[in-house]
Amino acid sequence: MDVEEIVAYVEKELSGIKEGDDPNPVKVRLLGRKGLFSRLFDNLKDLPPEKRKEIGRRLNLLKAETEKRIDRLQLLFEEEKRKKEEESLKIDKTLPGKVPIVGKKHPITTTFEEIIRIFTSLGFEVTEGPEIELDYYNFEALNIPKDHPARDMQDTFYVKDGVVLRTHTSPVQIRVMESRKPPIRIIAPGAVYRCDLDISHTPMFHQVEGLMVDRNVRFSDLKGVLTLFAREMFGDEVDVRFRPSYFPFTEPSAEMDIRCVICEGKGCRVCKETGWLEILGAGMVHPQVLRNVRYDPEEVSGFAFGMGVERIAMIKFGIDDIRQFYYNDIRFLSQF
Ligand code: DAH
């Protein structure tokens, strides 16, 4: 057994490990249970006793030295590993952040808010009524007789005999007039229901009702208030016109159109080539309706109006299918 040769061999093994590399394979080869030193110590017994002691001493020294160097390399290796791990966890502050998705108001909500803003600025007060309504308020008190087409089973959702899902916000007029005396200046925003579904109808939609009752309220007041509303809503330049119409609860009745915002009156698909878009119904409160709430038509008069919020929003935002409002498709809703 040539100790010098062994020293040279061990030295070669140890210096073959780069600092920061894993020393374990070498450790196993040299210091492992079946490693170099263990075999050398096994072989000692074959040596003559006088040599055994000396060589044993030198092997022990060499082994201790080897252990020390391997321990040091082990520490360096672990330090290196830790550094690499840290590196991989490091936050890169130059990366763009994740932008949080911020919720937006539904276009029907913003349209509601705009309508309410305009009328409250004119002194109208916001009131509400129930969506499950008595037949009496939804129809009877509004001068809609029993055989009127608006009562057709096809349009009205009946809850039970004498109770319906309100088909319009007009019953709020009656409830307000029953509960207070003129002067009255209210709007009533809310959901209404009709059994209908196509490109321009959803079974639930929204209306804003308006009512003004006082002494000497005239048709010119109606025209003034609603023209101002249209200008606020669609811009100062918007043209309006009033067309004669019919509602059982107003006399005379009218519908208000605005000049088509798409084609500016030239005629297009949206305005069905007429150049005009209908935006609301209105009229002077029918004397019978006033009598129904125990007002004296000789003493007071009023005007009323009702508009569809979806319709206003469709015109304002250029949407051609009312159902879009209720698909809850974030790609649609996030555009507003
Ligand atoms: N209630 C009507 C509807 O749903 C709208 C309406 C028209 C309301 C004329 C009114 C009015 O107050 O005077 O179609």
Side-chain angles (χ1 to χ4, degrees), residues 82-298:
R82 201 185 50 77
K83 263 196 216 154
K84 276 190 192 139
E85 255 169 35
E86 213 167 67
E87 202 71 33
S88 74
L89 288 177
K90 222 176 181 177
I91 293 163
D92 182 351
K93 298 184 200 117
T94 67
L95 283 175
K98 281 189 190 149
V99 182
I101 298 169
V102 179
K104 291 188 178 183
K105 284 181 183 172
H106 194 281
I108 295 301
T109 303
T110 48
T111 307
F112 255 133
E113 287 176 348
E114 180 65 359
I115 296 170
I116 289 169
R117 183 192 66 76
I118 296 167
F119 283 104
T120 52
S121 78
L122 291 170
F124 284 74
E125 177 196 336
V126 178
T127 58
E128 278 180 272
E131 291 175 22
I132 299 171
E133 187 55 287
L134 294 175
D135 182 289
Y136 174 75
Y137 289 108
N138 196 81
F139 296 124
E140 202 73 35
L142 286 163
N143 206 27
I144 303 176
K146 282 266 187 282
D147 54 0
H148 194 277
R151 285 183 166 229
D152 198 310
M153 281 292 271
Q154 297 216 329
D155 293 329
T156 308
F157 288 111
Y158 282 86
V159 176
K160 59 180 189 190
D161 202 28
V163 182
V164 300
L165 294 185
R166 67 179 177 189
T167 59
H168 51 179
T169 43
S170 302
V172 185
Q173 288 184 33
I174 306 296
R175 288 181 173 276
V176 168
M177 286 192 286
E178 267 189 353
S179 68
R180 42 175 126 164
K181 293 271 156 259
I184 284 170
R185 218 169 4 166
I186 59 104
I187 54 169
V192 301
Y193 303 84
R194 285 180 205 177
C195 192
D196 213 345
L197 181 62
D198 60 35
I199 193 166
S200 48
H201 298 89
T202 47
M204 187 280 310
F205 61 104
H206 298 87
Q207 290 187 333
V208 175
E209 192 77 13
L211 176 70
M212 175 163 169
V213 185
D214 202 350
R215 289 178 194 281
N216 296 317
V217 174
R218 295 159 300 173
F219 199 87
S220 55
D221 297 312
L222 178 160
K223 286 179 78 175
V225 166
L226 294 179
T227 302
L228 192 142
F229 163 74
R231 300 223 166 107
E232 284 279 313
M233 196 72 198
F234 297 104
D236 272 342
E237 331 68 46
V238 79
D239 258 344
V240 303
R241 73 173 184 188
F242 291 83
R243 263 182 305 106
S245 186
Y246 171 77
F247 300 102
F249 36 91
T250 45
E251 183 58 35
S253 303
E255 279 171 309
M256 184 170 84
D257 299 342
I258 59 169
R259 183 85 72 181
C260 181
V261 292
I262 309 289
C263 64
E264 291 170 344
K266 290 183 199 75
C268 67
R269 197 171 54 86
V270 176
C271 60
K272 301 196 182 84
E273 307 301 331
T274 64
W276 295 91
L277 297 168
E278 179 203 320
I279 64 162
L280 56 81
M284 300 306 291
V285 181
H286 197 292
Q288 186 55 47
V289 173
L290 294 174
R291 279 192 289 272
N292 289 344
V293 297
R294 299 183 207 302
Y295 285 4
D296 182 354
E298 301 297 325

